[in-house]
């Protein structure tokens, strides 16, 4: 019986993680594709910025809409819908012939991606025991590093020789296999238990997130999500382009980003180990502090060795913090509003994902130094640290509210 439960947990983690990996591969590829499109379509920095921001607009809409739907029709059903939307949009974007149609498709892809991530973490967190919940959700998030590594490999070996269109087709095809695997995935027992008794409207659920004891939790999450997403998408979507601005050619910049991406895996695994030992708040504060320092020194680095070292530290700390964020978020709410609360927090955070890439594009167009831009992201992360420190409550190994 114990072995069967272990197998079931591994199956859930594998199926959820595979979709997560393909989502990450798409976001990772987008950062490389932006750099390639700048050459192919002769884009200005502000036009490049809109590609990343439109993706985040879609993610904001998707996180809100599908988060609400997850509390209505179930986590599994939303899990399938979002991956289907993402897969189809990603495949079709390979056919885009101009920036406007590419932006429309990026919005649809963003909706699928934005809806899937908080719902996936909610489903997994509801399906495992309290003593291992944080570790398992961080391990789920570690599939993101695998997706980024695949994206970096595809970008390095495929884009220079076969073009960005081929890269997009390659990223879309495996996602359909993940869709097939999800079809027979059971929904969480926690959701099934409250589904028949839940009579609250969508509006009541949204209002409840900001009532009573959830007010402080929601305020903390919204500040944290905004600061993390704003800095992540501002920095990482521009990473290959920043390397070219620093004087490296396109292929060399892809190679360096591939090496930096490798540091994401130990970041996740160390966070997964610490989160049940030291707690969610400890991991978030330590890893976000490391992210802020790494961002400052990366932005101001001039030599190849310094860029590589601080880029690796940036990947290590930032992605470890992301793992803790996804573990921490669903633990703030009861089952009846867990999808709603997680989706609303992620949706608000995606506003930061809209503004971050735009800010970089417009500041670069105004000839602002890269070091100054990354210092802005450093301060953004500090705001998130303060929110966790003063508003957050520890949820390590506690039972989730029903």
């Amino acid at each position: 019986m114990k072995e069967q439960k272990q197998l079931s947990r591994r199956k859930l983690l594998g199926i959820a993680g595979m979709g997560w990996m393909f989502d990450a591969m798409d976001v990772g590829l987008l950062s490389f594709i932006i750099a390639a499109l700048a050459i192919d379509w002769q884009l200005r920095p502000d036009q490049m910025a809109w590609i990343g921001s439109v993706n985040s607009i879609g993610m904001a809409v998707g996180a809100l809409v599908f988060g609400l739907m997850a509390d209505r029709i179930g986590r599994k059903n939303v899990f399938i819908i979002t991956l289907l939307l993402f897969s189809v949009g990603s495949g079709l974007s390979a056919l885009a012939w101009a920036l406007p149609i590419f932006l429309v498709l990026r919005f649809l892809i963003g909706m699928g991606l934005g809806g899937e991530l908080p719902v996936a973490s909610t489903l997994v967190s509801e399906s495992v025991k309290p003593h291992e919940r944080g570790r398992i959700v961080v391990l789920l998030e570690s599939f993101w590093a695998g997706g980024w590594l695949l994206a970096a490999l595809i970008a390095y070996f495929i884009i220079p020789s076969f073009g960005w269109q081929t890269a997009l087709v390659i990223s879309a095809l495996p996602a359909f296999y993940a869709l097939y695997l999800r079809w027979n995935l059971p929904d969480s027992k926690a959701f099934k238990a409250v589904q028949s008794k839940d009579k609250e409207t969508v509006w009541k659920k949204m209002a409840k997130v900001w009532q009573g004891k959830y007010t402080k939790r929601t305020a903390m999450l919204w500040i944290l999500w905004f600061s993390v997403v704003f800095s992540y998408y501002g920095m990482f979507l521009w990473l290959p382009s920043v390397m070219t601005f620093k004087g490296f050619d396109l292929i060399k910049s892809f190679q360096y980003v591939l090496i930096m991406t490798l540091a994401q895996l130990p970041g996740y695994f160390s966070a997964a180990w610490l989160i049940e030992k030291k707690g969610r708040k400890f991991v978030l504060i330590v890893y976000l502090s490391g992210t802020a320092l790494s961002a400052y020194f990366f932005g101001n680095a001039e030599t190849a060795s310094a860029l590589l070292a601080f880029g690796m530290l940036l990947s290590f700390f930032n992605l470890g913090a992301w793992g803790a964020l996804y573990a921490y978020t669903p633990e703030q709410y009861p089952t009846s509003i867990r999808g709603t609360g997680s989706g609303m927090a992620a949706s608000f955070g995606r506003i930061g994902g809209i503004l971050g890439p735009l800010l970089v594009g417009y500041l670069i167009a105004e000839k602002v130094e890269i070091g100054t831009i990354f210092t802005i992201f450093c301060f953004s992360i500090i705001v998130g640290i303060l929110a966790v420190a003063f508003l957050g409550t520890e949820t390590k190994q506690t039972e989730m509210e029903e």
Side-chain angles (χ1 to χ4, degrees):
M1 188 71 176
K2 187 178 179 182
E3 288 181 2
Q4 190 176 5
K5 285 183 178 178
Q6 184 84 356
L7 183 63
S8 177
R9 187 189 64 188
R10 288 177 180 174
K11 181 180 178 183
L12 173 64
L13 182 61
I15 292 173
M18 191 174 293
W20 204 288
M21 181 173 67
F22 295 135
D23 290 346
M25 186 163 65
D26 176 80
V27 173
L29 267 178
L30 183 61
S31 69
F32 297 103
I33 287 168
I34 288 172
L37 286 176
I39 297 169
D40 283 6
W41 290 349
Q42 298 181 334
L43 301 179
R44 302 187 307 271
D46 56 318
Q47 291 175 313
M48 294 166 67
W50 270 108
I51 297 174
S53 292
V54 163
N55 194 69
S56 290
I57 293 170
M59 291 181 79
V61 174
L64 179 60
V65 171
F66 291 118
L68 295 170
M69 285 178 65
D71 284 334
R72 275 288 165 200
I73 65 172
R75 285 65 161 128
K76 174 199 167 178
N77 291 330
V78 171
F79 214 19
I80 290 171
I81 293 167
T82 52
L83 185 58
L84 182 63
L85 184 61
F86 156 78
S87 305
V88 172
S90 188
L92 289 176
S93 62
L95 305 175
W97 60 90
L99 183 60
I101 188 65
F102 191 78
L103 292 177
V104 170
L105 291 167
R106 284 314 314 178
F107 174 81
L108 295 175
I109 294 166
M111 275 192 70
L113 179 59
E116 171 164 1
L117 299 180
V119 173
S121 60
T122 298
L123 174 61
V124 173
S125 66
E126 289 177 342
S127 305
V128 295
K129 298 295 183 184
H131 71 276
E132 60 181 0
R133 186 175 60 234
R135 180 169 56 85
I136 295 298
V137 176
V138 176
L139 288 176
L140 168 67
E141 170 70 358
S142 73
F143 281 83
W144 190 269
W148 258 87
L149 280 171
L150 286 173
L153 287 169
I154 291 169
Y156 184 67
F157 290 108
I158 300 297
I159 292 179
S161 302
F162 303 99
W164 56 268
Q165 296 93 337
T166 305
L168 282 172
V169 171
I170 290 172
S171 72
L173 290 177
F176 285 102
Y177 178 62
L179 190 65
Y180 162 75
L181 291 176
R182 282 186 191 183
W183 206 261
N184 295 315
L185 192 69
D187 217 323
S188 77
K189 291 179 181 179
F191 171 74
K192 288 178 180 178
V194 302
Q195 186 179 20
S196 59
K197 297 179 285 186
D198 186 13
K199 305 299 180 185
E200 290 181 322
T201 65
V202 166
W203 304 111
K204 282 185 178 180
K205 289 177 184 291
M206 293 177 71
K208 192 174 179 180
V209 165
W210 280 103
Q211 290 174 356
K213 63 182 179 181
Y214 305 118
T215 304
K216 184 179 175 183
R217 300 179 189 184
T218 300
M220 179 272 299
L221 280 180
W222 284 33
I223 295 168
L224 178 61
W225 268 92
F226 185 93
S227 65
V228 171
V229 179
F230 172 75
S231 56
Y232 175 81
Y233 283 91
M235 293 187 296
F236 280 81
L237 276 184
W238 279 92
L239 211 52
S241 301
V242 166
M243 297 301 290
T244 60
F245 296 148
K246 294 269 189 180
F248 299 96
D249 63 44
L250 194 63
I251 295 175
K252 196 70 175 177
S253 72
F254 285 3
Q255 181 185 354
Y256 275 25
V257 174
L258 171 59
I259 296 169
M260 292 174 197
T261 304
L262 288 168
Q264 293 183 12
L265 284 169
Y268 281 125
F269 295 147
S270 59
W273 183 77
L274 284 169
I275 201 164
E276 298 298 359
K277 298 284 185 182
K278 299 293 186 180
R280 281 67 162 144
K281 287 184 67 174
F282 175 87
V283 172
L284 280 165
I285 290 170
V286 168
Y287 279 66
L288 286 173
S289 298
T291 302
L293 287 170
S294 303
Y296 175 80
F297 287 112
F298 177 83
N300 289 279
E302 295 298 333
T303 65
S305 57
L307 282 166
L308 201 54
F310 290 116
M312 291 177 72
L313 286 171
L314 186 63
S315 290
F316 176 92
F317 285 113
N318 189 262
L319 277 299
W322 267 106
L325 176 61
Y326 273 108
Y328 195 45
T329 300
E331 295 175 337
Q332 307 302 313
Y333 302 107
T335 305
S336 62
I337 60 168
R338 189 167 293 129
T340 300
S342 299
M344 288 176 69
S347 180
F348 183 76
R350 299 302 170 189
I351 298 173
I354 298 164
L355 298 176
L358 278 177
L359 177 72
V360 176
Y362 282 99
L363 289 180
I364 287 174
E366 294 296 321
K367 310 297 183 186
V368 175
E369 294 288 330
I370 296 294
T372 303
I373 296 170
F374 272 69
T375 301
I376 293 171
F377 294 129
C378 175
F379 282 113
S380 164
I381 296 161
I382 291 171
V383 172
I385 294 168
L386 294 174
V388 175
F390 292 104
L391 298 176
T393 53
E394 185 54 60
T395 53
K396 182 181 73 169
Q397 297 182 10
T398 57
E399 291 285 349
M400 295 176 80
E401 289 185 66
E402 294 184 359

